[in-house]
Amino acid sequence: MSQELDTAISSPTAQPYIPEPHDRRNPNAWDALYVDQAIPVDPISKGYMIRDLRNWTRSYLLVPIALIANLLLAIIMTVKRLLPFQFSNYTLMHQSAAWFLNTFVSPEACYLIVRHICLGSNIVNFLIDNGPDPAIEKSQLYPRTVGNLAENAFLEHDLILYNFVLDYSKAQREKPHWIEPVKERGLNFDSIKSVQVDIDFKKRRWLRILDLESAIELFKVFYSLCLTSDEFERAVLSLEFDENFGCYISALTGDYNWNHVITNRHPLAPESPFGAARNLLLHGIISEYLHRYLELRKEMAQTVSDR
């Protein structure tokens, strides 16, 4: 990891974030956060994360945006619960999301959103490859552009997660001793692969300014409007399955030492939907942690096999 980070820092074309010269009397907090390797993260993604965190909209617009968004969310949730019928419009939701991202959201945030969907597919497919039933349907959801998200990507992302958990749990009950042969043969890391994301960072229109968390705060309002109450509740609850997925991975690797980085926990004590934007931001970061952990395990396994 150290050599990989040093290469990224020394090559401006390979890394979107270049630390400033170290001033010992005035050290840069963001540079320290970027170069710190206590929790391994893909260097390219981490660079975009730092740039997103430094976005001026996060400092000046996030708080008022969150206040307005939560007020609108409260109104929508109350009205939809009181209505004698429920309605949803997935096509409108996803097409609006793609338009919103392409029009108002920074390229860095767009990159992280598209990449997150792909990482989720890699992690689910890894668990299937090494699970009690390799015949469980694997994820084929690998968007490359913001435009690809208009094809029901967010809904499919949630459905893939829930269907996997239900199928995986059923297979575990049917094969209670499944993990012993998996550990004997060794883990299959074929599904932990690099993902391709095509975002144009050169063309920066003046409206494409929003940071990731501000964008999520705004879009969660429209998300709640375009889903039924139960579907929105399901989407919010999915964020707390991070702890479950961490335990799935640790059961396979026998390593629980890294699980402290998972902060979205306890799905039996659901968080309020008003904190969904913050939890979704954490969900994205935790997915990056988990995927990088598996990449490093894959590298270790390849090193051992090459000896």
Side-chain angles (χ1 to χ4, degrees):
M1 177 64 182
S2 178
Q3 181 179 0
E4 182 183 33
L5 184 58
D6 290 342
T7 301
I9 291 174
S10 63
S11 175
T13 59
Q15 180 49 259
Y17 184 83
I18 307 299
E20 299 173 359
H22 183 185
D23 181 353
R24 302 194 68 84
R25 303 304 303 170
N26 186 27
N28 187 301
W30 300 110
D31 289 354
L33 184 60
Y34 174 69
V35 301
D36 180 73
Q37 300 173 50
I39 304 175
V41 186
D42 176 80
I44 301 297
S45 297
K46 193 174 188 181
Y48 289 132
M49 288 179 188
I50 300 297
R51 281 171 55 170
D52 180 73
L53 292 173
R54 298 188 71 173
N55 189 333
W56 68 270
T57 64
R58 181 178 174 82
S59 298
Y60 295 100
L61 299 183
L62 177 58
V63 172
I65 283 175
L67 290 173
I68 295 170
N70 281 334
L71 176 60
L72 293 173
L73 181 62
I75 295 171
I76 292 170
M77 291 176 60
T78 301
V79 171
K80 294 192 79 168
R81 285 293 185 189
L82 293 176
L83 288 175
F85 60 90
Q86 291 288 302
F87 58 89
S88 60
N89 192 325
Y90 309 137
T91 300
L92 176 63
M93 181 180 77
H94 287 89
Q95 290 181 351
S96 298
W99 173 82
F100 176 73
L101 291 171
N102 276 323
T103 306
F104 298 109
V105 181
S106 73
E108 290 83 7
C110 290
Y111 174 92
L112 294 170
I113 290 170
V114 176
R115 174 177 162 85
H116 170 71
I117 302 292
C118 300
L119 296 189
S121 294
N122 279 0
I123 293 168
V124 164
N125 291 343
F126 169 81
L127 288 169
I128 292 173
D129 286 340
N130 298 282
D133 183 7
I136 291 175
E137 183 178 357
K138 298 176 76 172
S139 173
Q140 305 299 324
L141 188 60
Y142 287 95
R144 294 188 60 160
T145 66
V146 170
N148 294 149
L149 300 178
E151 303 167 7
N152 285 359
F154 297 124
L155 178 64
E156 289 299 321
H157 182 63
D158 280 352
L159 294 178
I160 288 167
L161 181 149
Y162 280 105
N163 286 326
F164 164 76
V165 170
L166 291 167
D167 291 340
Y168 195 76
S169 299
K170 178 184 177 183
Q172 285 179 313
R173 293 192 300 271
E174 293 175 348
K175 300 177 181 178
H177 305 293
W178 64 274
I179 200 165
E180 286 82 2
V182 172
K183 289 185 174 182
E184 287 178 6
R185 73 151 198 263
L187 297 180
N188 178 354
F189 289 95
D190 289 346
S191 291
I192 302 303
K193 55 190 179 182
S194 61
V195 299
Q196 301 298 318
V197 179
D198 294 331
I199 301 293
D200 190 349
F201 287 87
K202 296 180 180 179
K203 294 182 180 179
R204 290 181 176 269
R205 295 190 293 272
W206 68 280
L207 284 176
R208 296 193 67 186
I209 59 174
L210 286 177
D211 64 278
L212 180 57
E213 191 170 359
S214 296
I216 297 170
E217 285 284 3
L218 285 172
F219 195 73
K220 77 180 181 186
V221 178
F222 198 67
Y223 205 77
S224 67
L225 182 63
C226 291
L227 295 176
T228 67
S229 297
D230 289 342
E231 287 171 335
F232 182 65
E233 183 179 44
R234 182 182 68 193
V236 171
L237 180 60
S238 71
L239 304 175
E240 289 167 85
F241 273 86
D242 289 345
E243 184 176 35
N244 304 55
F245 274 72
C247 290
Y248 295 155
I249 298 296
S250 292
L252 288 170
T253 62
D255 178 11
Y256 288 85
N257 292 326
W258 64 276
N259 295 63
H260 65 281
V261 304
I262 301 173
T263 55
N264 287 341
R265 297 179 180 272
H266 308 304
L268 293 178
E271 292 277 356
S272 164
F274 296 104
R278 176 67 176 175
N279 288 336
L280 183 53
L281 178 70
L282 290 170
H283 171 64
I285 295 171
I286 293 165
S287 297
E288 289 283 356
Y289 291 163
L290 178 52
H291 195 267
R292 186 60 186 147
Y293 171 79
L294 291 173
E295 286 179 331
L296 294 174
R297 296 284 302 205
K298 180 178 182 177
E299 292 174 9
M300 290 172 56
Q302 288 175 340
T303 300
V304 171
S305 65
D306 291 342
R307 289 178 180 173

